[in-house]
Amino acid sequence: MKVGPILVVGLGCQRGCPASSLRALLDQTLQAHGIELDEVRALASIELKRNEPGLLALAEQLALPLICFTAEQLSGYQGQLSHRSRIAFERTDCHGVAESAALALANQLGDSPATLLITRQKALQATLALAAAS
C-alpha cells in the first residue's frame, strides 16, 4: 500500500506527439524535482486526447491509468492555472490542459483539495504538470 500524497501527471500534446517525447518530458521533470516515477499514480488529459496514440502508449509503458476529462470539467480549474494558453483554448476550449487535468484527477482521487506541485512544463510537442492530493 502506497502512503504519502497522491501524485498525478497531467499531459497535453500536439496530435501525433510520440510516446518517447512524452516520456522524455516526464523523466526530465520528475528527475529535476526529485520525484520517483513509481510515486505517480495516474496520468490525466483532456477528452479530445482520449485516443491519442502517444498518450495511450505512454500509459501502457508505465502501466498507469489514463483518465480524460471534458473541457467543461477542466474549465473549473482555470483560476488555479499558472499559465493560460490562448492557443490551447482555441484548440480545446480549455486554457491549460496539463495543469487542469492534473488538478481534476488529483481532486478525484484524493480527500484533500489538489495543489499543483509542478506547474506547466513545456516541450516541443507536449506540456506536463504534476498535482498532489492526500
Side-chain angles (χ1 to χ4, degrees):
M1 177 79 188
K2 289 184 178 180
V3 292
I6 295 166
L7 301 181
V8 298
V9 170
L11 293 161
C13 65
Q14 292 176 3
R15 186 176 296 123
C17 178
S20 58
S21 295
L22 293 164
R23 180 65 188 261
L25 178 60
L26 177 62
D27 289 344
Q28 290 163 7
T29 302
L30 293 179
Q31 185 176 18
H33 291 84
I35 296 169
E36 296 295 325
L37 185 57
D38 67 0
E39 293 178 67
V40 175
R41 305 273 185 99
L43 306 177
S45 193
I46 193 166
E47 186 67 37
L48 289 169
K49 299 293 178 183
R50 174 172 296 289
N51 297 313
E52 185 62 41
L55 284 174
L56 294 171
L58 180 67
E60 189 175 323
Q61 277 174 27
L62 301 176
L64 289 173
L66 172 64
I67 310 298
C68 295
F69 296 90
T70 64
E72 187 177 1
Q73 288 171 305
L74 297 181
S75 67
Y77 296 94
Q78 184 175 323
Q80 291 178 259
L81 302 182
S82 71
H83 174 87
R84 286 171 190 71
S85 170
R86 180 184 50 78
I87 293 169
F89 186 77
E90 287 171 4
R91 294 182 180 161
T92 67
D93 284 338
C94 176
H95 285 281
V97 171
E99 289 185 347
S100 299
L103 287 165
L105 185 55
N107 270 332
Q108 192 174 77
L109 298 176
D111 294 325
S112 66
T115 56
L116 281 174
L117 278 192
I118 302 174
T119 56
R120 177 179 176 267
Q121 305 294 303
K122 185 160 179 16
L124 191 60
Q125 292 182 289
T127 56
L128 175 150
L130 188 133
S134 51

